[in-house]
Each structure stands twice: as structure tokens, then as C-alpha cells.
Amino acid sequence: GAGVSQSPSNKVTEKGKDVELRCDPISGHTALYWYRQSLGQGLEFLIYFQGNSAPDKSGLPSDRFSAERTGGSVSTLTIQRTQQEDSAVYLCAILLLYGEQFFGPGTRLTVL
Amino acid sequence: DQQVKQNSPSLSVQEGRISILNCDYTNSMFDYFLWYKKYPAEGPTFLISISSIKDKNEDGRFTVFLNKSAKHLSLHIVPSQPGDSAVYFCAATGNEKLTFGTGTRLTIIP
């Protein structure tokens, strides 16, 4: 969507390598979310940033996953030592209204 | 623990007929429900929502019904059009986090 861009759109990596996914939302939205959608699965919540509060990391599947949000805008999701089960579409979203989130186009990650 | 469930992974409907997509939830703290539509290689887009204080919300061809006692909601699309073919996700929230169902792939047959 025009309000949230994500890069790269596709990423192919080898098992064991680290990857960094980027989310660049339009300014003015304090809440930012990361989700992933594995093949045939729903959207799985990963992490949530709200202003200057500590992020809600309750959805991160392992300590290989981490995320940052710098300056209240750009966010990066880092996956260390990637595994094949990390293959998924990673989606970033901002909060527009209560409950309503606006999603970026996603990054398709393939781990060989 | 799947708090939001969409038990039909796929649904095929003839063009012009009504499409009914169903969703069940277990968490009684949810107070706002949404439907998202997703095309391949795109992020989900918001379609329609309903607050727990209502039992129906209508927007053009799309109507969402909420049955709180049954913890069930449904999305009706009438008449169905080929462009409605997509994956539909049900979502629920009681705070600022959304919990999504696994989606239903809707195919409209011309």
C-alpha cells in the first residue's frame, strides 16, 4: 500500500544466513506491527511497537528474531541463522483507527 | 490456541450469488471484529468491521453479522463478482493487537 513500503519484496537466502527486512511507514503513526504468513496459514503476530513504550515481543517465535524501530518510523526485522521454517511472507502494518490496520505489500522470504 | 477460527479453507460461489464466509472466536474480551481481503503478492486490505455493540454492519455489497452469544460472525457478499476472488481473513481485537483467523479462499465462478 502507498502508506507502508517494505523492502526487499523478495529475498532468497541460504539456511544459516542472517536477513534483515525493512518497513518504511508514512509518518505520524505511532503503532507498527510485524506479522508473518506461512504457506497455508493465517497471519501470525510477531511484534508490536507503540510510541516510546517497550515493544510487545510476545509473538516472536525464537530468540533468532528481533526487531527495531528507529526514530518512531522505519522498522527492521532481523532473523539470524535462518531456518527453512522461517520461509514466509513477512508483513508490516500501521494502526489507522482502533483495530483497523493498514498493511504493506510484504516481503517474501525463502530459505533454501 | 486458535482464538479466531475460520473452519472453511475454501469456498466456491457462482457469480451473482451470495457468498457467506464464517468465523468463530473464543475470547470474550474481543470487542471489535474486522474482515480483510488479500490478493496474491499484496498485503491484506481492510474490508469491513463491526463493534460488539452492534449485530450488523452494511457497506454496499458487504454485510457483516455478529452473534455475540454464539461468538460467531459472518461476512455476506451479494451479489458476488469475479473481483471478489481472494483470501478473506477474519480478525478480532480487544486492545490494539489483532488476532487473525487462518483465512478462507473465495473463488467466484463466472
Side-chain angles (χ1 to χ4, degrees):
Chain A
V4 179
S5 60
Q6 291 187 246
S7 59
S9 54
N10 280 284
K11 175 73 177 178
V12 180
T13 190
E14 293 179 348
K15 178 181 171 182
K17 294 284 180 74
D18 297 352
V19 295
E20 192 173 277
L21 312 179
R22 178 184 170 104
C23 172
D24 198 345
I26 57 172
S27 60
H29 296 276
T30 58
L32 184 145
Y33 305 77
W34 281 96
Y35 296 86
R36 74 175 176 182
Q37 184 185 12
S38 304
L39 189 63
Q41 302 296 313
L43 278 72
E44 176 188 3
F45 166 77
L46 297 177
I47 188 168
Y48 160 50
F49 295 91
Q50 171 60 284
N52 294 322
S53 303
D56 179 343
K57 304 179 182 180
S58 59
L60 294 178
S62 78
D63 59 8
R64 296 186 294 104
F65 288 71
S66 62
E68 289 186 340
R69 190 176 186 197
T70 54
S73 181
V74 172
S75 178
T76 54
L77 177 70
T78 301
I79 309 173
Q80 296 178 312
R81 305 181 302 282
T82 52
Q83 304 294 312
Q84 288 183 331
E85 61 262 29
D86 299 335
S87 296
V89 176
Y90 289 82
L91 293 155
C92 175
I94 55 175
L95 183 67
L96 296 181
L97 302 170
Y98 179 67
E100 184 182 337
Q101 296 179 13
F102 184 92
F103 285 81
T107 293
R108 180 175 296 278
L109 175 66
T110 303
V111 182
L112 301 176
Chain B
D1 175 32
Q2 193 74 23
Q3 296 188 61
V4 178
K5 300 177 185 178
Q6 293 177 256
N7 292 318
S8 297
S10 63
L11 175 68
S12 294
V13 174
Q14 205 78 31
E15 181 179 359
R17 305 292 270 264
I18 184 170
S19 296
I20 300 176
L21 295 93
N22 293 302
C23 177
D24 298 291
Y25 63 96
T26 58
N27 190 338
S28 57
M29 298 302 292
F30 290 146
D31 62 3
Y32 199 72
F33 304 88
L34 308 92
W35 285 93
Y36 282 80
K37 177 179 178 178
K38 187 179 185 302
Y39 292 120
E42 295 183 11
T45 55
F46 169 75
L47 192 57
I48 192 169
S49 62
I50 188 166
S51 165
S52 60
I53 63 173
K54 295 186 174 183
D55 54 19
K56 177 182 174 180
N57 187 27
E58 192 171 350
D59 183 3
R61 297 185 298 114
F62 303 91
T63 304
V64 56
F65 294 92
L66 175 63
N67 182 334
K68 282 179 59 180
S69 61
K71 292 191 173 66
H72 177 83
L73 65 155
S74 61
L75 174 68
H76 292 211
I77 306 173
V78 57
S80 300
Q81 299 175 353
D84 297 330
S85 294
V87 177
Y88 290 78
F89 291 98
C90 169
T93 184
N95 46 41
E96 288 175 319
K97 285 165 56 176
L98 288 176
T99 301
F100 285 87
T102 52
T104 296
R105 180 177 299 278
L106 176 65
T107 302
I108 305 302
I109 304 164

